[in-house]
Amino acid sequence: KTFTKEEIKQIVVDENVEFIRVTFTDVLGAIKNVEVPTSQLDKVLDNNLMFDGSSIEGFVRINESDMYLYPDLSTFMIFPWATDGHGGKVARLIADIYTADREPFAGDPRHALRSVLADAREAGFTAFNVGTEPEFFLFKLDEKGNPTTELNDKGGYFDLAPLDMGENVRREIVLTLEKMGFEIEAAHHEVAEGQHEVDFKYASALEAADNIQTFKLVVKTIARKNGYYATFMPKPVAGINGSGMHTNMSLFTKDGNAFVDTSDEMGLSKTAYNFLGGILEHATAFTALANPTVNSYKRLTPGFEAPVYVAWSASNRSPMVRVPASRGNSTRLELRSVDPTANPYTALAAILASGLDGIKRELEPLASVDKNIYLMDEVEREKAGITDLPDTLLAAVRELAADDVVRSAIGEHIADKFIEAKKIEYTSYRQFVSEWETDSYLENY
Ligand code: ADP
Ligand code: MG
Ligand code: MG
Ligand code: MG
Ligand code: MG
């Protein structure tokens, strides 16, 4: 649904909205916002709200710091939770970022995704549909209200209360999201203790990326209200499953789902196979964007249902890409490596550009792997053409730097800032000496 300026002004009056929060996402995936009282609504709606871009990580140099926020009117919504102390409500708008010269800003992740979506349209596709399955942990807060890593329950996959102590929080998350217009398909306890998943209906990529950012905000807000801390950190506790964000994807044309071909033995079209070929081709390069933290690589290890190798399968959940059994309009590819620390705009831009490159070059995927890859040895894997995903953030960043398709998908501005920031992050991590190291080496050497 989209709104006109006049409709938004009317809703703001009718619903007693006191503040307008204009949000955007920085290069590293953090949600930023500028909040103004509704007296400033005209300025916001007329694309005249400014902010200082030089104060945002990975944005601009000081001398080009004035930026405009252009709200996307279709993203208007009122936060359904009460604000402290007064009755007025808070509404939000997601914005695109423009320079002082009123050009789209090259460092805006939403702009990067828009650009690749324009390429997809040029290739004849009307939509890149994306449905994600974000997972998160609920942890207890301590007496001071700070997060701990103490698990709040002993539940497992699809368990019920009383083992699933997060059930009430999860229900409130679902109800809140529904009030905000999300169509929730499922919500359940995940495999690990204290771990949850909420699935909402797929949407066209830009809206899907916006939804992911909104989703994280809602989960964190509702968890807090209930005395818990929600985290999307990929591997908060060693030895149990980490949190992923499986990403289901399909391309549509005006005739419907372009991944469908009922005459194929798997029901997949040439477009789907070539898209998959592109995903496999560029997987090592887009991993830095899909898994952008040091901690991401602690999830991508064998034994915890997360992928480690570049491969695909129809029947098996160990490879990086799975073809879920649903057919018809639900025909899709599921990319299982992505985790919720990914900036959804740049990650989807990179993934889509990879798939489009596969379509353009008619890349054929390797044969599917229908046995458990973790049980294959290195020689068997090599014979099957299965390669490894990067195993550290630094290795992933190097792969990204070397891939022109993925780098140009996010644009040189974002690529440079991102690579620079991630190298610093990795160095900072390397300078830290962990308990594992002192346990392993202190007495042995
Ligand atoms: P899983 O079986 O992997 O647990 P889920 O049922 O949890 O899968 O999630 C499936 C996701 O795929 C949902 O977000 C759903 O809306 C989405 N989806 C369904 N059809 C399509 C499609 N054609 N394109 C993209 N996403 C889709
Ligand atoms: Mg699921
Ligand atoms: Mg699942
Ligand atoms: Mg899951
Ligand atoms: Mg899944």
Side-chain angles (χ1 to χ4, degrees):
K1 165 160 176 60
T2 188
F3 299 90
T4 63
K5 290 184 194 179
E6 294 312 317
E7 281 170 332
I8 290 177
K9 285 191 210 176
Q10 194 58 48
I11 296 170
V12 162
V13 173
D14 292 347
E15 297 287 326
N16 186 25
V17 173
E18 279 190 326
F19 289 95
I20 310 290
R21 184 178 291 186
V22 184
T23 73
F24 58 95
T25 297
D26 74 7
V27 167
L28 301 183
I31 306 172
K32 302 285 168 178
N33 75 88
V34 182
E35 198 171 273
V36 295
T38 43
S39 60
Q40 305 300 303
L41 184 58
D42 280 328
K43 190 184 193 176
V44 171
L45 296 177
D46 292 337
N47 301 332
N48 285 325
L49 185 64
M50 296 192 86
F51 74 103
D52 175 7
S54 66
S55 54
I56 309 281
E57 176 92 57
F59 255 49
V60 282
R61 292 181 294 273
I62 306 287
N63 60 358
E64 50 185 30
S65 63
D66 285 338
M67 299 272 143
Y68 285 104
L69 292 167
Y70 281 37
D72 180 337
L73 302 191
S74 70
T75 64
F76 178 79
M77 68 168 62
I78 298 173
F79 291 132
W81 51 81
T83 41
D84 295 333
H86 49 91
K89 295 177 186 161
V90 179
R92 80 89 203 262
L93 282 157
I94 296 176
D96 294 296
I97 302 162
Y98 278 66
T99 64
D101 303 329
R102 298 201 174 266
E103 297 288 338
F105 173 48
D108 178 7
R110 208 167 183 264
H111 174 66
L113 180 54
R114 280 188 188 279
S115 305
V116 184
L117 287 169
D119 297 342
R121 265 194 305 277
E122 211 153 283
F125 301 107
T126 50
F128 176 45
N129 284 323
V130 176
T132 55
E133 306 168 51
E135 294 170 334
F136 57 92
F137 280 83
L138 289 177
F139 288 119
K140 289 177 184 164
L141 294 168
D142 67 15
E143 310 80 59
K144 289 185 185 141
N146 293 320
T148 66
T149 50
E150 210 180 313
L151 294 163
N152 79 324
D153 71 24
K154 296 201 180 317
Y157 195 56
F158 278 64
D159 269 347
L160 298 174
L163 281 178
D164 175 5
M165 300 290 286
E167 189 176 80
N168 287 334
V169 184
R170 207 171 57 229
R171 277 207 184 113
E172 197 178 326
I173 289 168
V174 169
L175 293 174
T176 307
L177 288 165
E178 284 184 332
K179 276 189 208 153
M180 295 168 82
F182 279 71
E183 188 179 324
I184 306 298
E185 293 187 342
H188 58 84
H189 202 290
E190 256 302 338
V191 173
E193 299 142 60
Q195 192 187 32
H196 303 270
E197 177 177 311
V198 177
D199 303 315
F200 42 92
K201 191 176 186 300
Y202 70 86
S204 186
L206 194 65
E207 190 184 344
D210 289 343
N211 285 345
I212 291 165
Q213 296 302 71
T214 305
F215 176 82
K216 290 183 201 162
L217 184 74
V218 170
V219 169
K220 283 181 175 283
T221 303
I222 302 301
R224 266 270 177 212
K225 280 181 168 299
N226 286 276
Y228 292 110
Y229 188 81
T231 184
F232 292 94
M233 179 179 176
K235 191 84 174 188
V237 181
I240 60 177
N241 277 13
S243 293
M245 187 170 73
H246 295 170
T247 299
N248 296 268
M249 319 171 274
S250 60
L251 283 167
F252 275 54
T253 64
K254 58 180 185 350
D255 301 322
N257 191 330
F259 282 3
V260 179
D261 181 353
T262 47
S263 70
D264 175 68
E265 100 189 89
M266 284 190 60
L268 296 179
S269 66
K270 179 172 181 341
T271 300
Y273 285 115
N274 290 156
F275 188 93
L276 175 56
I279 294 291
L280 301 176
E281 171 93 355
H282 296 289
T284 54
F286 67 64
T287 296
L289 297 158
N291 307 93
T293 60
V294 164
N295 186 250
S296 297
Y297 297 85
K298 305 204 167 172
R299 168 176 167 263
L300 299 176
T301 55
F304 299 98
E305 296 184 29
V308 182
Y309 305 109
V310 180
W312 71 284
S313 175
S315 55
N316 189 301
R317 287 179 186 246
S318 62
M320 186 184 77
V321 179
R322 178 173 74 105
V323 186
S326 327
R327 286 294 175 270
N329 259 347
S330 300
T331 305
R332 60 187 189 265
L333 300 174
E334 179 192 43
L335 178 63
R336 302 168 59 78
S337 56
V338 189
D339 74 52
T341 56
N343 175 330
Y345 303 97
T346 52
L348 290 177
I351 292 163
L352 174 57
S354 300
L356 291 175
D357 186 53
I359 291 171
K360 191 170 87 191
R361 290 163 57 199
E362 299 186 81
L363 296 177
E364 294 292 337
L366 292 165
S368 77
V369 180
D370 296 318
K371 50 184 173 179
N372 188 339
I373 309 182
Y374 300 119
L375 301 178
M376 296 166 75
D377 63 29
E378 216 174 316
V379 178
E380 280 179 281
R381 289 202 305 271
E382 198 171 314
K383 256 198 214 141
I386 301 170
T387 51
D388 295 358
L389 279 171
D391 57 359
T392 62
L393 180 59
L394 184 63
V397 164
R398 287 183 174 143
E399 297 275 358
L400 168 62
D403 187 306
D404 289 339
V405 169
V406 175
R407 262 206 348 256
S408 69
I410 58 173
E412 290 304 326
H413 180 113
I414 292 179
D416 290 349
K417 300 281 182 196
F418 179 81
I419 289 169
E420 185 188 312
K422 290 297 158 181
K423 282 184 173 165
I424 293 170
E425 186 173 328
Y426 193 76
T427 301
S428 149
Y429 166 64
R430 278 221 304 165
Q431 287 167 340
F432 178 78
V433 177
S434 67
E435 200 177 302
W436 183 91
E437 288 162 277
T438 45
D439 285 352
S440 306
Y441 304 133
L442 195 69
E443 291 177 59
N444 285 335
Y445 293 93

